[in-house]
Amino acid sequence: MLPPQALAAAHPTPGRPRVAVVIPTLNEEEPIAAVLGAIPRDVVDEVIVVDSGSEDRTVERARAAGARVLIERHRGYGRACAAGVEAARDCDVIVFLDGDGSDRPELAPLLLGPIFRDTHDFVIGTRTGGQREPGSMNALQIVAGYGAGALTRLLYGVAYTDMCAFRAIRRESLDRLGMREMTYGWNLEMQMRAARAALRILEVPVAHRRRLGGASKVSGTVMGTVKAALRIGLTFARVACERQHRGHSTPAQDRAAEGKS
C-alpha cells in the first residue's frame, strides 16, 4: 500500500503528462521483479529497463514483469540512462530509479506531484533527508552528497543534499541540458546542468533501504567505490570548467559552441 503522503502527491487526471520510468540494470535478477511490481502504474505509462549485458536472468525477469527491455551493448550507467531517455520519446516526464531495490518505486508520486502541478521541472529524492534503513548508505555516499551540494551552491546557488538516482524531470527540460556523461557521473552532471539552467528544482525526502539482492557495483567493492568517485570527480570538474570558460551560457548555447569547434 502506498504511504498516505504518496497517495496525496499525484493523482491520475485527464490530460496529465505521460510518464516513463527508466531503470538501468546489470545483474539484478533477484530484485528486479519486486522493483517493477512496486511501480504505481496509475501514474506511470511506460516502464523501460535498459540492461547493460547482465549475465543472469535480469532481462528474462524484467520482461516477465511487463517491462520494455532494451539491451545496451556498451556498459556505462549514464549510457544506459541516455538510451532509456531516447526510447521514451513519447513521454513528457522521465523518472529514473535503480534496479537493485534500494529505491522505493511506490514513492514515485512524491516526485511527480510537483511536476504535475507545474511548480517544478526537476524533482530529486534525498535519501539523507528521508528514513534510511541501517546500512543502506555508507559514510562516503553521505559525505559525497553533501560535498557535491556545497560545491554546486558555490557555483550556481543551488545546494543539494544527495546525488540520489531516484528523480523525475520534465522531458523538455532534460533535452535542454545537453547531457554527455556516460558513466556514474550522470546524476551529478544532471544536477549541475539543471542548476546552471535555472530549472525549478525541488528535493523531496524519500525512504531508502538496503538493496534487495546481488552486490553493489559501486559500494560493493573498494575498486568500484574508487572508480565511481573518480568519475564523479572528473564530471564535476568538466561541467564546472564549462561554466568557467563559457560564462553563464545555457546548455543549448554550449552545444552550439561545441558544434562550431
Side-chain angles (χ1 to χ4, degrees):
M1 179 180 294
L2 291 179
Q5 66 269 32
L7 283 169
H11 296 286
T13 56
R16 69 160 173 80
R18 280 183 55 81
V19 176
V21 171
V22 172
I23 307 174
T25 59
L26 179 62
N27 296 326
E28 305 289 6
E29 69 172 357
E30 294 179 58
I32 192 61
V35 170
L36 296 173
I39 295 173
R41 297 308 297 262
D42 56 339
V43 293
V44 172
D45 300 283
E46 185 167 18
V47 178
I48 301 173
V49 169
V50 185
D51 190 79
S52 298
S54 290
E55 298 173 347
D56 58 11
R57 293 181 293 170
T58 299
V59 170
E60 174 189 339
R61 292 187 173 181
R63 284 178 175 150
R68 176 184 175 191
V69 179
L70 306 179
I71 306 299
E72 174 53 59
R73 300 298 179 185
H74 302 285
R75 289 188 179 181
Y77 182 88
R79 182 172 285 108
C81 289
V85 170
E86 184 62 29
R89 277 290 157 190
D90 62 338
C91 290
D92 308 297
V93 181
I94 310 294
V95 175
F96 298 93
L97 62 90
D98 283 342
D100 61 7
S102 58
D103 295 323
R104 300 284 296 274
E106 65 271 22
L107 300 181
L110 292 176
L111 307 184
L112 292 168
I115 296 177
F116 286 179
R117 294 190 295 271
D118 196 26
T119 59
H120 295 84
D121 307 305
F122 177 38
V123 183
I124 178 171
T126 172
R127 299 165 294 182
T128 58
Q131 184 177 3
R132 300 195 308 273
E133 181 182 1
S136 63
M137 292 182 72
N138 60 39
L140 180 59
Q141 289 174 300
I142 296 171
V143 170
Y146 279 111
L151 292 172
T152 58
R153 182 175 183 178
L154 287 175
L155 286 174
Y156 314 114
V158 177
Y160 297 102
T161 62
D162 198 2
M163 291 184 284
C164 182
F166 195 20
R167 54 187 60 199
I169 187 169
R170 294 181 188 278
R171 177 55 188 255
E172 60 181 1
S173 298
L174 182 58
D175 286 345
R176 286 172 49 206
L177 299 186
M179 295 289 294
R180 292 174 12 189
E181 183 57 43
M182 295 291 103
T183 70
Y184 284 112
W186 165 274
N187 289 337
L188 178 58
E189 181 185 40
M190 185 185 298
Q191 290 171 233
M192 292 179 71
R193 291 190 182 278
R196 190 174 76 181
L199 297 187
R200 296 174 297 171
I201 301 168
L202 177 67
E203 278 195 327
V204 175
V206 293
H208 190 69
R209 62 192 170 200
R210 297 169 64 92
R211 60 183 295 122
L212 297 181
S216 172
K217 287 76 179 174
V218 177
S219 59
T221 66
V222 173
M223 182 58 68
T225 300
V226 170
K227 288 175 66 176
L230 178 61
R231 287 306 317 177
I232 290 170
L234 290 173
T235 298
F236 182 90
R238 173 174 60 78
V239 179
C241 286
E242 288 175 358
R243 177 184 185 275
Q244 179 180 349
H245 292 159
R246 296 171 186 161
H248 294 278
S249 61
T250 66
Q253 290 171 328
D254 291 345
R255 294 196 297 274
E258 290 165 3
K260 294 177 181 179
S261 61

